[in-house]
Amino acid sequence: MINKLIEKIRKTNAPIVVGLDPMLSYIPSHIQEKAFQEYGETLEGAAEAIWQYNKGIVDAVYDLIPAVKPQIAMYEQFGIPGLQAYKKTIDYCKEKDLVVIGDIKRGDIGSTSAAYAVGHLGKVQVGSKKWAGFDEDFATVNPYLGSDGVKPFIEVCKEENKGLFILVKTSNPSSGEFQDRIIEGRPLYEWVGEKVAQWGEEHMGSEYSYIGAVVGATYPEMGKVLRKIMPKTFILVPGYGAQGGKGADLVHFFNEDGLGAIVNSSRGIIAAYKQEAYASFGEQNYADASRKAVEDMIADISGALEGRR
Amino acid sequence: MINKLIEKIRKTNAPIVVGLDPMLSYIPSHIQEKAFQEYGETLEGAAEAIWQYNKGIVDAVYDLIPAVKPQIAMYEQFGIPGLQAYKKTIDYCKEKDLVVIGDIKRGDIGSTSAAYAVGHLGKVQVGSKKWAGFDEDFATVNPYLGSDGVKPFIEVCKEENKGLFILVKTSNPSSGEFQDRIIEGRPLYEWVGEKVAQWGEEHMGSEYSYIGAVVGATYPEMGKVLRKIMPKTFILVPGYGAQGGKGADLVHFFNEDGLGAIVNSSRGIIAAYKQEAYASFGEQNYADASRKAVEDMIADISGALEGRR
């Protein structure tokens, strides 16, 4: 799956991923009203609004991008109907041949991680049959529990040709509270990064490992160091746009081959129509605004990468 | 909710929680067969088997215990139908007046943690209405992202009278890989424990905080230290029984008042009928075997606590 992701990045010339993290407040009123008319102001109504909103965005941008990253929390907050919209979104994106990164940040003791891995990336045995629960292509994983909480995910990836992005240095303001603490002269996130590189070494695609890392765009200097600690690791970079990261901050997340990273933007793309720069599209044309925002993001990042050469 | 948990622990004289972590391999064949007859060997069939199995156990033990802890991964592996069984299990346990600890180990950047918190412990706004998605009483949370990943959970707990158990030192063999690393002379888990105690100080029930901690039964010496670092923190202790923890190992997780900890057993209770000690019950009477295993666990822990006095 890492090979497919890289191939699609090359083809689109866009090392970016669109974060499908819908909030009801982002969704144009005509979509909300229609969904509520059909299902009422219920969890089902919210789920329908999310799904229609996502579909509009995916239809408008799928040819420009290699991948999407739905954040499961934004669906899980609407209970079972929300998770049905999550699954519907995954299936639709896969129909459009997009690589789907499930931003699930799961991680637990071995047997429990195995269940998450099977549910999100693999197939679960039921009697004589096997079924896929969510079937994302990649999943994000939390490393706090150590190797035996991560390995069951790696095993399922190996079997099923899927991949992971493991949290190393997260994009949020307080990520340093534990992640930056110094252990034998080096911050925790470097130790985690080293582990990710080790786990990845034995699990290689053609050029990069299918065991990737998450490093926030908001910490470019740390990204530079981690890039070197994890040379064969693909880095998922959240925090671009709304969280403050800019194209110029991102060049050091990439290797000299122009690969090795994929930058996520969520709100900046899916709620572009709410920004001054794209307001002229209007609420009705929110998806066109998202397309323009994707084009601008690609230009920003490509420009920064070319500027480096 | 921490007050209710403590009141129920006092009433049952049982500082224990039953982990409802069903694996299909634990479920007696008569339950599986009936479910598969009705729904086929499908995710729906698996979910029905899990639900019937859980119901049998809950009916057999609810009067002996204060709380249950369903591990969401065991349901999530069966996709949407599995999560429907999770929700059904929560609702049924609440009908039986059990405190429900959702073992979800979520944790993300602020806005995302807020969505998880709302979905599991609070209510989500849809138009002019508010709905609860999963509605557990407590949830487990992963602290790797720091304060701003935890605080949205705390805020929802405050509003909704719910509670948390934050991972401090987990029960699995490789938990030390990152959690035990030494930072300024003390292991990371102590720093996390200190933070949990701080977060908890401002969020007190009558005797204990509703911001609790998870510390594995498999590390009793560390539990002893953490008990002192977090005097007003209720500790959820997994790892008893199948993972190797014993009653005598657990006394130091409790305070002198006999409170301050609640010990989880999952497989040891729900699949008791598979153990030699309870094999005489037979597969058909799996729930009676679970009841006996609960009684034995209560006796083991009460005995150890009394032995200390």
Side-chain angles (χ1 to χ4, degrees):
Chain A
M1 194 48 72
I2 188 68
N3 292 346
K4 177 173 176 180
L5 180 63
I6 291 171
E7 186 197 311
K8 284 190 72 84
I9 289 173
R10 284 205 168 106
K11 212 146 99 186
T12 54
N13 202 18
I16 72 164
V17 49
V18 171
L20 296 173
D21 307 356
M23 299 281 282
L24 274 187
S25 60
Y26 301 167
I27 302 181
S29 48
H30 68 281
I31 295 177
Q32 289 198 48
E33 278 159 24
K34 194 165 172 240
F36 293 163
Q37 262 166 32
E38 201 170 345
Y39 296 95
E41 290 180 341
T42 58
L43 296 176
E44 288 76 12
E48 171 67 12
I50 284 174
W51 156 243
Q52 293 296 344
Y53 174 65
N54 281 351
K55 186 173 176 302
I57 293 165
V58 172
D59 286 343
V61 306
Y62 78 93
D63 59 316
L64 298 177
I65 57 171
V68 291
K69 181 176 76 62
Q71 166 52 260
I72 196 169
M74 297 306 167
Y75 304 82
E76 207 164 313
Q77 68 179 325
F78 298 104
I80 302 287
L83 287 161
Q84 285 168 325
Y86 177 73
K87 176 65 177 140
K88 226 163 153 175
T89 299
I90 292 169
D91 290 346
Y92 190 70
C93 292
K94 288 174 82 169
E95 266 177 46
K96 295 283 183 188
D97 201 36
L98 289 163
V99 172
V100 177
I101 301 168
D103 198 353
I104 63 173
K105 295 193 180 67
R106 304 302 196 242
D108 209 302
I109 66 168
S111 53
T112 307
S113 277
Y116 279 130
V118 155
H120 285 279
L121 300 169
K123 293 183 194 76
V124 67
Q125 190 85 40
V126 182
S128 61
K129 304 229 170 88
K130 284 191 161 199
W131 300 97
F134 288 100
D135 211 17
E136 299 96 324
D137 296 317
F138 284 83
T140 56
V141 166
N142 185 311
Y144 189 67
L145 284 90
S147 293
D148 61 26
V150 173
K151 285 194 173 154
F153 285 98
I154 297 179
E155 276 160 38
V156 170
C157 287
K158 192 173 180 176
E159 270 167 39
E160 302 279 346
N161 184 26
K162 303 265 174 121
L164 302 180
F165 292 102
I166 298 170
L167 304 189
V168 172
K169 171 68 187 173
T170 57
S171 61
N172 56 313
S174 71
S175 69
E177 222 167 85
F178 303 124
Q179 295 166 29
D180 293 3
R181 296 303 301 268
I182 302 296
I183 295 161
E184 294 179 27
R186 299 164 65 200
L188 174 59
Y189 63 78
E190 287 190 20
W191 293 99
V192 177
E194 214 160 70
K195 267 282 173 202
V196 170
Q198 272 174 31
W199 290 325
E201 265 168 27
E202 290 157 37
H203 300 92
M204 288 293 295
S206 309
E207 299 161 83
Y208 284 89
S209 173
Y210 52 87
I211 308 305
V214 175
V215 183
T218 41
Y219 300 103
E221 287 306 312
M222 300 176 185
K224 198 171 169 176
V225 174
L226 286 164
R227 177 69 285 165
K228 287 189 182 122
I229 291 176
M230 312 181 293
K232 291 290 173 195
T233 304
F234 228 81
I235 304 179
L236 171 64
V237 188
Y240 176 89
Q243 284 184 56
K246 288 188 198 88
D249 296 334
L250 296 171
V251 290
H252 298 298
F253 289 83
F254 290 83
N255 277 320
E256 294 299 320
D257 59 3
L259 287 170
I262 185 162
V263 181
N264 180 76
S265 177
S266 300
R267 205 180 341 157
I269 304 292
I270 68 173
Y273 80 94
K274 287 187 168 253
Q275 296 167 45
E276 219 183 297
Y278 306 103
S280 62
F281 283 93
E283 203 182 48
Q284 285 284 340
N285 305 309
Y286 75 100
D288 298 327
S290 294
R291 184 176 175 91
K292 184 67 175 65
V294 165
E295 288 169 343
D296 291 347
M297 181 179 172
I298 294 172
D300 180 33
I301 291 175
S302 303
L305 284 175
E306 276 162 26
R308 180 169 73 162
R309 278 171 205 164
Chain B
M1 195 46 73
I2 187 68
N3 292 346
K4 178 175 176 179
L5 180 63
I6 291 171
E7 186 197 311
K8 284 190 71 84
I9 289 174
R10 283 208 168 104
K11 212 147 99 188
T12 54
N13 202 19
I16 71 164
V17 49
V18 172
L20 295 173
D21 308 355
M23 299 281 282
L24 274 187
S25 60
Y26 300 168
I27 302 181
S29 48
H30 68 280
I31 295 177
Q32 289 198 48
E33 277 160 23
K34 194 164 172 240
F36 293 164
Q37 264 166 31
E38 202 170 345
Y39 295 95
E41 290 179 341
T42 59
L43 296 176
E44 289 76 11
E48 171 67 12
I50 284 174
W51 156 242
Q52 294 296 342
Y53 173 65
N54 281 350
K55 187 174 177 301
I57 292 166
V58 171
D59 287 342
V61 306
Y62 77 93
D63 60 316
L64 298 177
I65 57 171
V68 292
K69 181 176 76 63
Q71 166 53 260
I72 197 170
M74 297 305 166
Y75 304 82
E76 206 164 312
Q77 69 180 323
F78 298 104
I80 302 289
L83 287 161
Q84 284 168 325
Y86 177 74
K87 176 63 178 142
K88 226 165 155 175
T89 299
I90 292 169
D91 291 346
Y92 190 71
C93 292
K94 288 175 82 170
E95 266 177 45
K96 295 282 183 190
D97 201 37
L98 289 162
V99 172
V100 177
I101 302 168
D103 198 354
I104 62 174
K105 294 193 180 69
R106 304 302 196 243
D108 209 303
I109 66 168
S111 54
T112 307
S113 277
Y116 280 129
V118 155
H120 286 278
L121 300 169
K123 293 183 194 76
V124 68
Q125 189 85 41
V126 182
S128 61
K129 304 230 169 84
K130 284 191 161 198
W131 300 98
F134 288 99
D135 211 16
E136 300 97 323
D137 296 317
F138 284 83
T140 56
V141 166
N142 185 311
Y144 188 66
L145 285 90
S147 292
D148 61 26
V150 173
K151 287 196 172 153
F153 284 98
I154 296 179
E155 276 160 39
V156 170
C157 287
K158 192 172 179 178
E159 270 168 40
E160 302 279 346
N161 184 27
K162 303 263 175 124
L164 302 180
F165 292 102
I166 298 170
L167 303 188
V168 172
K169 171 68 187 173
T170 57
S171 61
N172 56 313
S174 71
S175 69
E177 221 167 86
F178 302 124
Q179 297 166 26
D180 293 3
R181 297 301 304 266
I182 302 297
I183 295 162
E184 294 179 27
R186 299 165 65 200
L188 173 59
Y189 63 78
E190 288 190 19
W191 292 100
V192 178
E194 215 160 70
K195 267 283 175 202
V196 170
Q198 271 174 30
W199 291 324
E201 266 169 25
E202 290 157 37
H203 300 91
M204 289 292 295
S206 309
E207 299 161 82
Y208 285 88
S209 173
Y210 52 87
I211 308 305
V214 175
V215 183
T218 40
Y219 300 102
E221 287 307 313
M222 299 176 185
K224 199 170 169 176
V225 175
L226 286 165
R227 176 69 285 166
K228 286 186 185 126
I229 291 177
M230 314 181 292
K232 292 290 174 194
T233 304
F234 227 81
I235 305 179
L236 171 65
V237 187
Y240 176 88
Q243 284 184 58
K246 287 187 198 90
D249 297 334
L250 297 171
V251 290
H252 298 297
F253 289 84
F254 290 84
N255 277 319
E256 293 299 321
D257 59 3
L259 288 169
I262 185 162
V263 181
N264 179 77
S265 177
S266 301
R267 205 179 341 155
I269 303 292
I270 68 173
Y273 80 95
K274 288 189 169 250
Q275 296 167 46
E276 218 183 298
Y278 306 102
S280 62
F281 283 94
E283 204 182 48
Q284 285 283 340
N285 304 309
Y286 75 100
D288 298 327
S290 294
R291 185 176 176 91
K292 185 66 175 68
V294 165
E295 289 170 343
D296 291 347
M297 181 177 172
I298 294 172
D300 179 32
I301 291 174
S302 303
L305 283 175
E306 277 161 26
R308 181 170 73 161
R309 278 172 205 162

